[in-house]
Amino acid sequence: MTYTAPIDDMMFVIEDLCGLNSVSKLRGLEDATPDLVSAVLEESGKFAGQVLAPLNVVGDRVGLTFEDGKVHTPDGWAAAYHQLVEMGWNSPTSDPERGGMGLPTVVNACIQEMFNGANTAFQLCSVLTQGAIEAIEGYADEALKTVYLPKLVTGEWTGTMNLTEPQAGSDLAAIRSKAEPTGDHYLVSGQKIFITYGEHEMAENIIHLVLARLPDAPAGVKGISLFVVPKYLVNADGSLGQRNDVRCISIEHKLGIHASPTCALAFGDNGGATGYLVGEPNKGLQYMFAMMNNARLGVGLQAVGISELATQHAIKYAMERTQGRTTAGSEETIIGHPDIRRMLGLMKARTEAARVIAYRAATSLDFAQRSSNSEERARHQRRVDLLIPITKGWSTELGIENASLGVQIHGGMGYIEETGAAQHLRDVRITTIYEGTTGIQAIDLVGRKIQRDGGVAAMELVADMRTTARALSELSTNYADWVAICGAVMDAADKVEELTNWILAQRGSEPLAAAVTVLECFGICLGAWVMGDAAISASERIERGRCPMHAKTKLKTVQFYMNNVFPKAEALSSTVKKGAKSILDLSAADFCVDA
Amino acid sequence: MTYTAPIDDMMFVIEDLCGLNSVSKLRGLEDATPDLVSAVLEESGKFAGQVLAPLNVVGDRVGLTFEDGKVHTPDGWAAAYHQLVEMGWNSPTSDPERGGMGLPTVVNACIQEMFNGANTAFQLCSVLTQGAIEAIEGYADEALKTVYLPKLVTGEWTGTMNLTEPQAGSDLAAIRSKAEPTGDHYLVSGQKIFITYGEHEMAENIIHLVLARLPDAPAGVKGISLFVVPKYLVNADGSLGQRNDVRCISIEHKLGIHASPTCALAFGDNGGATGYLVGEPNKGLQYMFAMMNNARLGVGLQAVGISELATQHAIKYAMERTQGRTTAGSEETIIGHPDIRRMLGLMKARTEAARVIAYRAATSLDFAQRSSNSEERARHQRRVDLLIPITKGWSTELGIENASLGVQIHGGMGYIEETGAAQHLRDVRITTIYEGTTGIQAIDLVGRKIQRDGGVAAMELVADMRTTARALSELSTNYADWVAICGAVMDAADKVEELTNWILAQRGSEPLAAAVTVLECFGICLGAWVMGDAAISASERIERGRCPMHAKTKLKTVQFYMNNVFPKAEALSSTVKKGAKSILDLSAADFCVDA
């Protein structure tokens, strides 16, 4: 299986659409010049294409074995992981003083898209480790940081996030795992499920971050604390001590990401697993929420990466497979068939739009963290909070549609596992589920991100969209149908404004019933906005003779997006307003009437 | 895995929306009274639920083994097949004089939906046999009929259709298999792929229907003939003779329908497989086309069946899974969550709409075949020809969306194979590909079914849609928002008319680029039409106190459809008109710019 990092498009997006120049003026990111970034992407692109991508198939076919509590990854997996650690790709944004690369989040977004695109099942290990690092960096005391951070940053140790329990999925208030204080530590017990890379032998230790309740904790979400529970205890000198009381009791047999171990972990079956409190008691969920933006952005990027991969494979097949004859009588490759081009265009245009939204969220994360101006920090934080559920919710749903189109383009061969197209559909199918389902993202968008601030963040976005529309209205070069592009962006801004006002005007459950439809509509409208900006930049590049091939294709892709993707926004917006009542009218009894 | 045949809804559709009373006035169908049909559906429903459904999981998990040219089906498979043969369910529409049940096609549509819903991988064996029966019944001489039909009708022997070759998928003009005349028969040689149930041990013989070229045949589609090639030759006394020169060389490892053997067959490796010409030379493709309507209707019904199955499982899970609390503080099942109801509503409303369209196509097949009035026959044949690509193309795309929503409703559990939700997605994913991809259906709709007759059949349909809209406008009972329902149906009729005129007005490749979008738009508009009719019938049933629970839920479901499914028609219709040019503007080079 081949994967080529789309570096031209990535550089176009981060330079022209995310303002890399301004990012590299932020405190601590001064080294992130276009030249350095371009070199980083070349290198990470090579690693993705040459090391990770070739393992993607064996990961899927061979998968994992589980014996005596141990998980064995497929051949080549551990070696590739050691290479990743050695090359320093495990945690690209971490502080150089802790062994990281100190790269901007937006550059890491490219790297994560590449690594996940090349091999999602593999990259999940680092994704989870990055989460553990963020938790410890952000909330643990210096002692815990000193013991755990250095080896997590390099990837010598890996990390996990232990939230879900059988009765507590989307609703973490129902968590029952316990932590009893004893001396300087806690004894953690309980069962956690769906723990990604909860057990494996690629690294010498695994650091579990675990949500559990202290003995006298309040019920519900306000009584959950966060603990560090290492697989092997760590001695005072930093060497590994005895095995902790946590073990993997099973791994799941899943639709996709076969080589990523999804573990059920039992904590404390023999008296209690030694754990250390992170930060303050009862603030576990609050910490998780603070980390959620990065985690959800990561899943959005995963979907963008798999979309890109599926698109590349579909293009390759369509360029090689002959079927039918041209009007001139010669054999025709199916890329000549208009419907194949329609499908490839959908895959390409939506992947590129979703990429920009994700990278813009990442850029705002950089500004929110590092800008010297507090108002700018706050504004970018609002933008992050608004964009995250959209990038997570929309890219993942698109990822499924794109991968499914990839299967379709392959025809009968697409249904044969050896072809590889079906794997992308199976792999990407998880992305709308974990780190909060699309439904959860949508409730977050409508409730926390729009209702709670009275629509301030959404209206700031509308203003930016109108700025793009105005800029488009002033352009009249010959490269594209600017009227159509500009009209779509204006319309997109109007729709976001209109739906925001609709949400704010409701008093019942209608926004909950319509939430996913709102989210999808926002996604498509934001896609129009960023594609509008892409058109402006592309036309400037053509004028300046910079990457003119990429820029000319971009203009066609923007046109395609406006005419073939954007029209759906109208349907969604009308569904939001008309549909909610008839959703709520369907009662449980209506679904049982035929049973 | 459980499956409950939705008999209430099936009876509602065939009685009220397909006019079973008129069907049973057709020649040869006089026995198909509502009482008999209801009894048939009860019995076939039991067989589906009790015999076929329990085997669906083992079929998926255990799948097939292939050794020494033999295919072994999972435990229980052969016994269930023998039971099906014994009970006479193999070919319900076949002539009673040949051992069939002589049921109307529309009643068989219910049975096929049930059997496919309960276990698609199993039922495919009969589906293919029905195709072989139709070919022999329709085109073979009396001698071949006498030898092969009786045992195919009972299912003692099974049948296959051998079209595809590695270089000839959607484009059958590229077929290379050969047939050399010798004495009273032919020696067939060549390789066929993707042959469903091409080899198995459940029946004592397999009758392959094979497309191949005679020595002096013209090139392209006009030089293809159809042959019967039995696995075992049949002696003059009807007993089985020696093994024919056809063998299975491999079976495919597929995304889904694991227990349905998809075979590569080698004909004539040892001198030539004995085959018998069906009908006239060089008419093979013509015969195939004539049979296509039934085959494509069958795949549409398969998708409806799997949609129904996925919906039932999602409802069950949503009724049992607790997550979060109600405002009163008690544990809440997720069916109380508005977004879960939205997803279930989409699954239910679209499945029911697709069911009516498929059954109406089946009803028109009955009339086209059996009406005593030649004008009525012709009109119904036009309707069949128009509805088939829509039912095949639209139900299957919906089937994928529905099964994917089914996974989503299960949350993290949906991604675990043991849950079963993922199997439906994997199984249904083939339906947009085989018997002609969605792209092929769409070209058929736009080219053969609209352009070729100048839109006559489409305009007849528009007239029927307007009849429904008028009837709705005269209703003003209290059960539903008739204005919205009537408005949607009027709008749907306008859109079908408008797109038909658009297609007829084009002179370039635009209709090909827009074809799938046209097809989806037609599907959604026809869905509005049949749901409009369903609302009328449901309100009449409520007045008469007949199945009032089903009828009241139906009205809510219609309302849901109009407000949550139908709005997409606007987007699709606008995409058709705006989008085609920007599809055609994307050239092959544009897809390679990043590679």
Side-chain angles (χ1 to χ4, degrees):
Chain A
M1 201 169 286
T2 59
Y3 169 80
T4 308
I7 293 178
D8 283 353
D9 200 54
M10 288 177 164
M11 283 303 293
F12 171 75
V13 175
I14 54 179
E15 286 196 84
D16 289 25
L17 306 181
C18 297
L20 179 61
N21 272 332
S22 315
V23 172
S24 65
K25 292 198 180 73
L26 292 170
R27 179 174 42 84
L29 301 180
E30 296 82 358
D31 293 342
T33 60
D35 283 352
L36 177 112
V37 169
S38 165
V40 165
L41 297 193
E42 287 291 340
E43 283 308 306
S44 51
K46 266 188 216 161
F47 187 73
Q50 293 171 7
V51 179
L52 301 184
L55 292 172
N56 203 14
V57 170
V58 66
D60 186 63
R61 304 274 159 84
V62 176
L64 302 160
T65 50
F66 179 65
E67 266 179 326
D68 300 333
K70 289 188 180 180
V71 171
H72 301 283
T73 46
D75 281 355
W77 224 250
Y81 183 75
H82 296 144
Q83 213 176 324
L84 175 130
V85 169
E86 240 164 68
M87 298 182 73
W89 294 123
N90 182 59
S91 182
T93 56
S94 287
D95 195 335
E97 289 185 13
R98 303 253 189 217
M101 287 188 179
L103 288 171
T105 306
V106 66
V107 177
N108 190 36
C110 303
I111 300 173
Q112 297 308 312
E113 184 199 318
M114 287 177 189
F115 290 5
N116 276 296
N119 193 336
T120 287
F122 179 92
Q123 178 59 11
L124 277 165
C125 187
S126 288
V127 166
L128 272 291
T129 304
Q130 289 168 25
I133 292 168
E134 196 186 350
I136 295 174
E137 258 179 358
Y139 310 105
D141 59 25
E142 202 50 41
L144 285 177
K145 283 185 191 172
T146 308
V147 176
Y148 294 101
L149 270 188
K151 295 206 165 180
L152 281 169
V153 168
T154 59
E156 286 161 281
W157 297 351
T158 69
T160 72
M161 306 303 283
N162 291 247
L163 286 72
T164 306
E165 299 178 5
Q167 78 293 347
S170 295
D171 177 21
L172 294 171
I175 281 176
R176 290 185 200 141
S177 290
K178 287 181 202 161
E180 297 270 351
T182 168
D184 69 336
H185 63 273
Y186 295 79
L187 291 176
V188 176
S189 60
Q191 195 186 320
K192 294 288 182 178
I193 60 168
F194 296 162
I195 309 309
T196 300
Y197 277 91
E199 173 56 32
H200 63 88
E201 302 282 310
M202 301 196 306
E204 53 183 12
N205 205 2
I206 302 174
I207 313 306
H208 303 293
L209 282 141
V210 184
L211 290 183
R213 292 181 184 282
L214 292 169
D216 51 0
V221 293
K222 290 181 178 162
I224 297 168
S225 304
L226 180 64
F227 299 87
V228 159
V229 181
K231 175 178 171 185
Y232 290 99
L233 299 177
V234 182
N235 297 323
D237 64 357
S239 65
L240 294 186
Q242 68 183 64
R243 188 73 160 76
N244 204 351
D245 183 8
V246 48
R247 64 196 174 89
C248 176
I249 49 182
S250 62
I251 61 172
E252 305 292 351
H253 172 218
K254 306 187 300 296
L255 176 62
I257 50 169
H258 287 164
S260 165
T262 302
C263 303
L265 295 184
F267 291 88
D269 276 1
N270 299 301
T274 299
Y276 307 95
L277 182 66
V278 174
E280 293 175 40
N282 300 330
K283 294 210 163 161
L285 220 56
Q286 192 178 316
Y287 300 155
M288 282 293 149
F289 264 101
M291 294 167 49
M292 231 160 234
N293 279 337
N294 268 327
R296 290 177 172 179
L297 172 61
V299 178
L301 288 165
Q302 211 165 71
V304 175
I306 301 177
S307 278
E308 172 69 34
L309 178 68
T311 307
Q312 291 183 9
H313 287 181
I315 291 171
K316 187 163 181 293
Y317 186 79
M319 304 283 291
E320 289 167 1
R321 168 74 171 170
T322 58
Q323 198 73 178
R325 304 208 159 247
T326 63
T327 40
S330 58
E331 283 199 330
E332 183 169 32
T333 50
I334 62 171
I335 204 163
H337 298 184
D339 188 54
I340 298 286
R341 267 190 277 170
R342 182 189 65 87
M343 293 191 275
L344 288 175
L346 282 172
M347 295 177 81
K348 179 176 169 65
R350 296 189 300 199
T351 302
E352 292 180 11
R355 175 176 294 137
V356 186
I357 297 175
Y359 289 12
R360 284 195 167 170
T363 307
S364 281
L365 273 165
D366 282 322
F367 278 93
Q369 246 175 343
R370 297 177 185 265
S371 169
S372 54
N373 176 322
S374 68
E375 206 183 299
E376 191 173 58
R377 281 201 304 277
R379 185 162 47 79
H380 278 286
Q381 187 63 48
R382 285 195 297 277
R383 180 59 55 89
V384 168
D385 291 341
L386 188 69
L387 290 187
I388 291 294
I390 299 169
T391 190
K392 201 289 185 182
W394 190 56
S395 326
T396 57
E397 295 286 347
L398 278 192
I400 295 173
E401 288 178 35
N402 286 341
S404 192
L405 284 177
V407 171
Q408 191 69 19
I409 288 167
H410 283 79
M413 291 306 295
Y415 202 64
I416 307 297
E417 286 288 4
E418 282 74 5
T419 306
Q423 184 189 338
H424 309 323
L425 176 58
R426 290 188 290 95
D427 283 350
V428 79
R429 189 63 194 79
I430 187 60
T431 60
T432 61
I433 298 173
Y434 62 16
E435 293 296 344
T437 61
T438 307
I440 296 284
Q441 305 305 319
I443 292 175
D444 180 55
L445 174 66
V446 165
R448 284 201 199 87
K449 308 301 172 59
I450 293 179
Q451 288 174 329
R452 191 177 287 178
D453 80 351
V456 170
M459 291 308 175
E460 284 172 349
L461 181 68
V462 170
D464 286 358
M465 293 170 81
R466 290 193 172 134
T467 303
T468 299
R470 271 193 302 276
L472 281 163
S473 74
E474 285 158 17
L475 279 168
S476 57
T477 64
N478 295 321
Y479 306 116
D481 177 359
W482 294 102
V483 175
I485 298 178
C486 175
V489 177
M490 285 203 274
D491 188 9
D494 291 348
K495 286 206 159 54
V496 171
E497 183 178 46
E498 202 178 294
L499 288 189
T500 300
N501 287 328
W502 180 85
I503 291 163
L504 295 172
Q506 302 304 308
R507 289 291 165 266
S509 300
E510 283 78 5
L512 293 178
V516 168
T517 315
V518 168
L519 186 149
E520 196 190 344
C521 189
F522 271 49
I524 288 178
C525 289
L526 267 62
W529 167 50
V530 301
M531 289 304 253
D533 281 337
I536 296 170
S537 297
S539 73
E540 286 166 4
R541 285 191 169 203
I542 294 170
E543 298 290 331
R544 286 182 289 133
R546 192 170 165 220
C547 307
M549 277 296 293
H550 175 272
K552 282 179 186 165
T553 291
K554 181 65 81 178
L555 285 179
K556 290 189 194 176
T557 310
V558 172
Q559 206 78 56
F560 183 98
Y561 185 95
M562 301 311 184
N563 295 324
N564 288 283
V565 180
F566 183 65
K568 200 179 174 191
E570 179 63 36
L572 293 164
S573 136
S574 131
T575 302
V576 166
K577 287 173 275 174
K578 285 186 196 166
K581 184 174 175 303
S582 41
I583 294 168
L584 298 170
D585 280 351
L586 281 175
S587 67
D590 288 312
F591 290 107
C592 301
V593 72
D594 296 320
Chain B
M1 200 168 284
T2 59
Y3 169 80
T4 308
I7 293 178
D8 283 353
D9 201 53
M10 289 176 164
M11 283 303 293
F12 171 76
V13 175
I14 52 179
E15 285 197 84
D16 288 26
L17 306 180
C18 296
L20 179 60
N21 271 332
S22 314
V23 172
S24 65
K25 292 198 181 71
L26 292 170
R27 181 175 40 83
L29 302 180
E30 296 82 358
D31 292 343
T33 61
D35 282 352
L36 177 113
V37 169
S38 166
V40 165
L41 297 193
E42 287 293 338
E43 283 308 307
S44 51
K46 268 188 216 162
F47 186 74
Q50 294 171 6
V51 179
L52 302 184
L55 291 173
N56 202 14
V57 170
V58 66
D60 187 63
R61 303 275 159 82
V62 176
L64 302 161
T65 50
F66 179 66
E67 266 178 325
D68 301 332
K70 288 190 178 178
V71 171
H72 300 283
T73 47
D75 281 354
W77 223 249
Y81 183 75
H82 296 145
Q83 214 176 323
L84 175 131
V85 170
E86 239 165 69
M87 297 183 71
W89 294 124
N90 182 59
S91 183
T93 55
S94 287
D95 195 334
E97 289 183 15
R98 302 251 191 220
M101 288 189 179
L103 288 171
T105 306
V106 66
V107 176
N108 190 37
C110 303
I111 299 173
Q112 297 307 312
E113 185 198 320
M114 289 178 187
F115 290 6
N116 276 298
N119 193 336
T120 287
F122 180 91
Q123 179 59 12
L124 277 165
C125 187
S126 288
V127 166
L128 272 292
T129 304
Q130 289 167 28
I133 292 169
E134 196 185 348
I136 295 174
E137 258 180 355
Y139 311 106
D141 59 26
E142 202 50 39
L144 285 177
K145 283 185 191 173
T146 307
V147 176
Y148 293 101
L149 269 187
K151 295 204 166 183
L152 281 169
V153 167
T154 59
E156 286 162 279
W157 296 351
T158 69
T160 72
M161 306 302 284
N162 292 248
L163 286 73
T164 306
E165 299 178 6
Q167 78 292 347
S170 295
D171 176 23
L172 293 172
I175 281 177
R176 289 186 201 142
S177 290
K178 288 180 201 160
E180 297 270 351
T182 168
D184 70 335
H185 63 275
Y186 294 78
L187 290 176
V188 176
S189 60
Q191 196 186 321
K192 295 288 181 176
I193 60 169
F194 297 163
I195 309 308
T196 300
Y197 277 91
E199 173 56 32
H200 64 87
E201 302 281 311
M202 302 195 305
E204 54 183 11
N205 204 3
I206 302 175
I207 312 307
H208 303 293
L209 282 142
V210 184
L211 290 183
R213 292 183 184 279
L214 292 170
D216 51 0
V221 293
K222 290 182 180 162
I224 297 169
S225 304
L226 180 64
F227 300 86
V228 160
V229 182
K231 176 178 169 185
Y232 290 99
L233 299 178
V234 182
N235 298 323
D237 65 355
S239 64
L240 293 186
Q242 69 182 62
R243 188 76 160 74
N244 204 350
D245 184 10
V246 47
R247 64 197 174 88
C248 176
I249 48 182
S250 63
I251 60 172
E252 306 291 351
H253 171 218
K254 307 187 298 299
L255 176 62
I257 50 168
H258 287 164
S260 164
T262 302
C263 304
L265 295 184
F267 290 87
D269 276 2
N270 298 301
T274 300
Y276 307 95
L277 182 67
V278 174
E280 294 174 40
N282 300 331
K283 292 210 168 164
L285 219 57
Q286 192 178 317
Y287 300 156
M288 282 293 149
F289 263 101
M291 294 167 49
M292 231 162 234
N293 279 337
N294 268 326
R296 290 178 171 178
L297 172 62
V299 177
L301 288 164
Q302 210 165 72
V304 175
I306 302 176
S307 277
E308 172 69 35
L309 178 69
T311 307
Q312 291 183 10
H313 287 180
I315 291 171
K316 186 161 183 291
Y317 186 79
M319 303 284 291
E320 288 168 1
R321 169 75 171 170
T322 59
Q323 198 73 179
R325 305 210 159 247
T326 64
T327 42
S330 59
E331 282 198 330
E332 184 170 30
T333 50
I334 61 172
I335 204 161
H337 298 183
D339 188 54
I340 298 285
R341 266 188 278 169
R342 182 189 65 87
M343 292 191 276
L344 288 176
L346 283 173
M347 295 175 81
K348 181 177 167 64
R350 295 188 300 199
T351 303
E352 291 179 13
R355 175 176 295 137
V356 186
I357 297 175
Y359 289 11
R360 284 195 167 169
T363 307
S364 280
L365 273 165
D366 282 321
F367 277 94
Q369 247 174 342
R370 295 176 187 266
S371 169
S372 54
N373 176 321
S374 70
E375 206 183 299
E376 191 174 57
R377 282 200 305 276
R379 184 163 48 79
H380 277 287
Q381 187 62 49
R382 284 195 299 276
R383 181 58 55 89
V384 168
D385 291 341
L386 188 68
L387 290 187
I388 290 294
I390 299 170
T391 190
K392 201 290 185 181
W394 190 56
S395 323
T396 57
E397 295 286 346
L398 277 193
I400 295 173
E401 288 179 34
N402 286 341
S404 191
L405 284 177
V407 170
Q408 191 69 18
I409 288 168
H410 284 79
M413 292 305 297
Y415 203 63
I416 308 298
E417 285 288 3
E418 282 74 5
T419 306
Q423 183 189 338
H424 309 323
L425 177 59
R426 291 188 288 94
D427 284 350
V428 80
R429 188 64 194 79
I430 187 60
T431 59
T432 61
I433 298 174
Y434 60 16
E435 293 296 344
T437 62
T438 306
I440 296 285
Q441 305 304 319
I443 292 175
D444 181 54
L445 174 66
V446 164
R448 282 201 200 86
K449 309 301 172 59
I450 294 180
Q451 289 174 330
R452 191 177 291 179
D453 80 351
V456 170
M459 291 310 175
E460 282 173 348
L461 181 68
V462 169
D464 285 358
M465 294 171 79
R466 289 192 172 134
T467 303
T468 299
R470 270 193 302 278
L472 281 162
S473 75
E474 285 160 15
L475 278 168
S476 58
T477 64
N478 294 320
Y479 306 116
D481 178 359
W482 294 105
V483 175
I485 297 178
C486 176
V489 177
M490 283 202 276
D491 190 8
D494 290 349
K495 286 205 159 57
V496 171
E497 183 177 46
E498 202 179 292
L499 290 187
T500 300
N501 287 328
W502 180 86
I503 291 164
L504 294 173
Q506 303 304 309
R507 289 291 164 269
S509 300
E510 283 77 6
L512 292 179
V516 167
T517 316
V518 168
L519 186 149
E520 196 189 345
C521 190
F522 270 49
I524 289 179
C525 290
L526 266 61
W529 167 50
V530 301
M531 289 304 253
D533 281 336
I536 296 169
S537 296
S539 73
E540 286 167 4
R541 284 192 169 203
I542 293 170
E543 297 291 331
R544 286 181 289 133
R546 191 170 166 219
C547 307
M549 279 295 295
H550 175 272
K552 282 178 186 165
T553 292
K554 181 64 80 178
L555 285 179
K556 290 190 195 176
T557 310
V558 172
Q559 205 80 55
F560 182 98
Y561 185 95
M562 300 311 184
N563 295 324
N564 288 283
V565 180
F566 182 65
K568 200 177 174 192
E570 179 62 36
L572 293 165
S573 135
S574 131
T575 302
V576 167
K577 287 173 275 176
K578 283 186 197 168
K581 183 173 176 305
S582 41
I583 294 168
L584 298 170
D585 279 351
L586 282 174
S587 67
D590 288 312
F591 291 107
C592 302
V593 72
D594 295 321

